Amino acid sequence: MKAAVLYSTVPAPTPGAGPGKRTYSDAGPLLVQELDQPEPRAGELGVAITYSSLCHSDLSVVDGSRVRPLPMALGHEAVGRVVSLGEGVEDVSVGDHVVLVFVPSCGKCRACLSGRPALCHRAAEVNGSGDLLHGPALLRTPAGERINHHLGVSAFADYAVVARESVVVIDDDVPDTVAAMFGCAVLTGMGAVLNTAGVSPGQSVAVFGLGAVGLSAVMAARLAGAASVIAVDPNQGKHQLARDAGATSVGTPEDAARLIAEASGDGVDVAIEAVGSAAVIASCLEQVTRGGAVVSVGLPHPSAQLTVPALQFAGAGKRLLGSYMGDAVPSRDIPKYLGFWREGRLPVELLHTDTRPLGEINEGLDALASGQVVRRLFQA
Ligand code: NAD
Ligand code: ZN
């Protein structure tokens, strides 16, 4: 099998840093290499990956802002077909069309039992250590070196061995280029609005950050019947996409306060932070009305601290809610969101910028970091 492996992190290239500053394509942090192809153990299955797509969270592992054990085979948003079944896997068949999900929920821990499988304790543990839900990492180089799994998926590859709990079976006829983005971007952005915030008809919603996660949140806000959806990103290249996704007004961070005042007076009911910046979370808290909610979806650097006026919580009833994987129940929400897509209510095609061979994955890191692409798909 073939996979893209990260051996050491590369700091994010700073725009305009002058000569000598390397791009990801120069530095080549991901090495596409041959690995021994593991067979699934009990509770696992083998998947032939059709398309994987590059998410900002992969980039954050590459630049060191999401700390993971290395070497690691990256990629966590993908679609494929089941090619082999481990012992005891009876509710999935060879040939099934599957979306990969990045939290393999155990079904038994406190979070799972309280109906919040996205926060599964066991999954957090194995995802953090680069192992799989049903046993230690299986990926090996031909020389026998252990390669860690990324979020139980490792999808920048032509094949993946994953826990049964890491796949959701979908209908055969969903195009792979659409399905590929449901496991992370769509599940996360939609879930932030529908599950975490519980946006109701007539509310006003602002979305900060118009990558695939934020644009999915824009689509969800419209779908939930929000009266106004204000979309904010300094990259004006994302603005038309936000309009196409259903935003009622669009602008840069400098425009945000004015657009919000025009749309909803003293602030929005819900602000979604899909950037990964503590400063943006703080400004979202200023932009919500009394009783409003900020949903923190972006993943800031672990050292980032948030300092905000403490009184606004009790004094103005504001809430700050974290949302991991959209607080989703993937086997419930992926088919539900695919249903919205079938009805023409979820234009996820607009998230897919282009498709490249896996060998160009490092160029993909530059394209995502510079905001040239929303979702670039890769084919091994
Ligand atoms: P992306 O890089 O495609 O998009 C981020 C966008 O934010 C870019 O368009 C950028 O121009 C914009 N931005 C930068 N500064 C901004 C500012 N001050 N105000 C408004 N917009 C600004 O990223 P993505 O793949 O859509 O992911 C977004 C974030 O969500 C990342 O932090 C990612 O790690 C995180 N994420 C979280 C989860 C989760 O489960 N919570 C899942 C997936 C991704
Ligand atoms: Zn992701």
Side-chain angles (χ1 to χ4, degrees):
M1 62 170 286
K2 206 161 49 166
V5 181
L6 180 73
Y7 284 87
S8 56
T9 60
V10 168
T14 323
K21 190 66 201 177
R22 300 202 302 171
T23 60
Y24 288 116
S25 16
D26 294 335
L30 287 170
L31 180 67
V32 178
Q33 67 175 124
E34 293 292 328
L35 300 177
D36 291 345
Q37 181 161 326
E39 289 303 318
R41 296 169 296 203
E44 296 175 340
L45 39 85
V47 179
I49 303 289
T50 326
Y51 292 104
S52 54
S53 79
L54 177 61
C55 166
H56 201 105
S57 304
D58 297 299
L59 192 59
S60 299
V61 177
V62 172
D63 73 19
S65 41
R66 284 196 65 71
V67 181
R68 299 285 164 186
L70 302 182
M72 177 173 272
L74 291 191
H76 63 279
E77 188 178 287
V79 63
R81 294 268 171 189
V82 175
V83 291
S84 52
L85 299 173
E87 197 191 311
V89 179
E90 282 161 7
D91 59 342
V92 178
S93 308
V94 168
D96 277 356
H97 198 199
V98 289
V99 167
L100 282 292
V101 293
F102 64 91
V103 178
S105 318
C106 74
K108 297 177 194 136
C109 72
R110 231 166 111 180
C112 286
L113 291 175
S114 64
R116 303 190 71 187
L119 301 179
C120 174
H121 295 234
R122 180 84 189 116
E125 203 178 297
V126 294
N127 280 357
S129 62
D131 294 302
L132 293 177
L133 183 65
H134 301 295
L138 282 173
L139 296 174
R140 296 284 181 281
T141 65
E145 184 184 7
R146 170 187 157 125
I147 304 293
N148 291 294
H149 297 249
H150 187 212
L151 302 174
V153 176
S154 291
F156 296 147
D158 54 2
Y159 170 86
V161 61
V162 302
R164 159 68 186 96
E165 292 81 354
S166 296
V167 303
V168 172
V169 178
I170 61 165
D171 290 339
D172 264 328
D173 64 334
V174 181
D176 281 331
T177 51
V178 166
M181 302 175 296
F182 273 74
C184 180
V186 175
L187 199 59
T188 300
M190 298 269 304
V193 169
L194 303 179
N195 297 330
T196 312
V199 167
S200 46
Q203 285 194 315
S204 51
V205 178
V207 177
F208 291 79
L210 303 173
V213 173
L215 288 168
S216 296
V218 169
M219 291 180 212
R222 272 323 276 276
L223 194 92
S228 48
V229 183
I230 301 110
V232 181
D233 198 299
N235 180 346
Q236 298 189 1
K238 307 278 177 88
H239 290 181
Q240 187 55 45
L241 286 173
R243 287 188 194 95
D244 297 342
T248 53
S249 53
V250 182
T252 64
E254 292 70 40
D255 303 324
R258 178 181 53 81
L259 294 176
I260 286 172
E262 283 169 10
S264 57
D266 70 340
V268 284
D269 295 300
V270 172
I272 307 286
E273 200 277 1
V275 180
S277 153
V280 178
I281 297 172
S283 91
C284 285
L285 276 162
E286 287 170 19
Q287 310 280 4
V288 293
T289 187
R290 294 173 65 76
V294 174
V295 182
S296 164
V297 181
L299 296 162
H301 190 281
S303 68
Q305 304 290 310
L306 180 66
T307 305
V308 294
L311 180 61
Q312 58 190 327
F313 301 108
K318 294 187 182 181
R319 291 172 302 144
L320 175 55
L321 309 169
S323 184
Y324 193 62
M325 200 173 69
D327 272 323
V329 179
S331 53
R332 174 195 70 190
D333 293 345
I334 290 178
K336 179 159 114 186
Y337 300 164
L338 280 167
F340 295 145
W341 169 79
R342 264 184 207 288
E343 291 164 8
R345 299 162 74 198
L346 202 62
V348 294
E349 288 86 348
L350 64 81
L351 305 176
H352 173 211
T353 310
D354 54 22
T355 305
R356 295 290 160 82
L358 185 60
E360 295 177 22
I361 186 78
N362 289 308
E363 287 77 4
L365 299 173
D366 285 319
L368 183 66
S370 64
Q372 283 166 44
V373 301
V374 177
R375 278 298 191 258
R376 171 166 286 177
L377 302 190
F378 291 90
Q379 231 175 352

